[in-house]
Amino acid sequence: MEDIQELKPCWSRTDLDEIEQSRGYVTFSLTNGPEYHVSQIADAVVVARYLTATLVLPDIRGSKPGDVRNFEDIYDVDKFMKSLDGIVKVAKELPNEISIRDLAAVKVPNRVTEDHIVESVEPVFKSKGNIRLATYFPSVNMRKTAQKSSVDSVACLGMFGTFELQSEVLEVVDSMIERLRTLSRKSNGKFIAVDLRVEILENKNCHGSGSARAKSCYNAQEIALFLRKVGFDTDTTIYLTQSRWDNSLGVLRDIFPKTYTKESVMPDEKKGKFLESEDSEFEKVIDFHICSQSDVFVPAISGLFYANVAGKRIASGKPQILVPADIPATSAPITNYLSPYVAKRNHLAYSCFC
């Protein structure tokens, strides 16, 4: 399962007229982790572009009350602003004369359409002058559509052309990947990343889902058996998105001794800031980028993390995504379990990259 040539953006900045004037401000926050950030940014850029409004750099809000970070704590501000130059005006903060309390709250569905903006957002913006945007997710839908829209190029740019990690976070991710490759010498430096988080498995009905539909998540034992049956040997290195070791993972390590969590591969001097602060925001971002760059990605949990990691992998020429299944036989061809996003080329990323 080798990498393919990196795809090129299908969208063109030359198709987009430069914004000459700005009418009001669009503010928003990034919430719930990087898999949501990708979609929230894309929708905010689309809305601000359509309204010819200035987009205010978002803050980042964690799951706990009062857990607020600046955009630059995780992402590269200069890259973000430069990527949108001439497309959408970006301000680092609201002008002093505009109070946050005066902003009109507007909700938009993920992958907001031009029709929705015209009907539900533009009238509020014209009336109030400034809005605070929130994206909601009616479903996890990252499949491409047959319909072409005038906002497609802007959405592609927002989703795939604006984000880069700031230097310290990028350094931690790179050092962890390098450590995993060092531990994988017997497999030519290649490793598998598995999105498997015990607390989520405990909160979902992952067992006894019946044969009528695919399961939404798989536990450590099921993942271990799946990987063996599709042909991975016991020397394979596995990275789990689970932050700290849990006893329930022992069955996976019994079969694949080189199974690691963040605490095993993160540099010791970085653990105080990125692992031991009981702040999951950094951890989620690190997982997202390691899963995007691993040699194989296995989503043990379905959902938006899987969908947006798949998009990033497709864009960078890494289509090796295996969706687990209960395999009754002793072995099965690995190609049977390639993600439908890749096998059917039906991911939104294929609308943005050629």
Side-chain angles (χ1 to χ4, degrees), residues 181 191-193 290-297 313 318:
R181 297 210 183 284
F191 70 96
I192 299 174
I290 290 179
C291 289
S292 299
Q293 295 178 54
S294 62
D295 298 282
V296 177
F297 172 53
R313 292 184 67 94
K318 291 183 173 292

Side-chain angles (χ1 to χ4, degrees), residues 226-289:
F226 169 73
L227 292 175
R228 282 299 286 138
K229 288 181 177 182
V230 296
F232 290 101
D233 64 42
T234 55
D235 265 331
T236 301
T237 299
I238 297 174
Y239 172 80
L240 301 178
T241 54
Q242 170 73 17
S243 293
R244 295 155 189 82
W245 190 258
D246 186 272
N247 289 337
S248 66
L249 304 174
V251 64
L252 181 55
R253 188 174 272 175
D254 288 344
I255 298 176
F256 296 98
K258 294 180 179 178
T259 297
Y260 304 97
T261 58
K262 272 185 280 301
E263 62 185 350
S264 305
V265 294
M266 184 181 289
D268 288 339
E269 68 274 14
K270 297 296 183 181
K271 288 180 181 177
K273 178 172 182 178
F274 294 102
L275 187 60
E276 294 170 358
S277 60
E278 294 188 2
D279 173 57
S280 62
E281 208 60 38
F282 281 127
E283 295 178 22
K284 291 176 185 174
V285 168
I286 288 167
D287 286 334
F288 187 83
H289 286 270

Side-chain angles (χ1 to χ4, degrees), residues 200-218:
I200 292 183
L201 296 181
E202 289 172 348
N203 290 337
K204 285 190 174 184
N205 179 21
C206 294
H207 306 285
S209 60
S211 57
R213 60 182 178 85
K215 290 167 64 168
S216 62
C217 42
Y218 290 81

Side-chain angles (χ1 to χ4, degrees), residues 59 110 135 193-194 218 235 247 281 285 292 298 348 352:
D59 57 13
N110 176 222
T135 296
V194 181
Y218 290 81
D235 265 331
N247 289 337
E281 208 60 38
V285 168
S292 299
V298 179
L348 176 64
C352 296

Side-chain angles (χ1 to χ4, degrees), residues 1 4 7 58 88 96 100 129 139 191 295 311 316 324 335 342-343 352:
M1 299 181 71
I4 60 171
L7 302 181
V88 174
N96 291 332
I100 294 175
S139 64
F191 70 96
D295 298 282
S316 59
T335 49
V342 174
C352 296

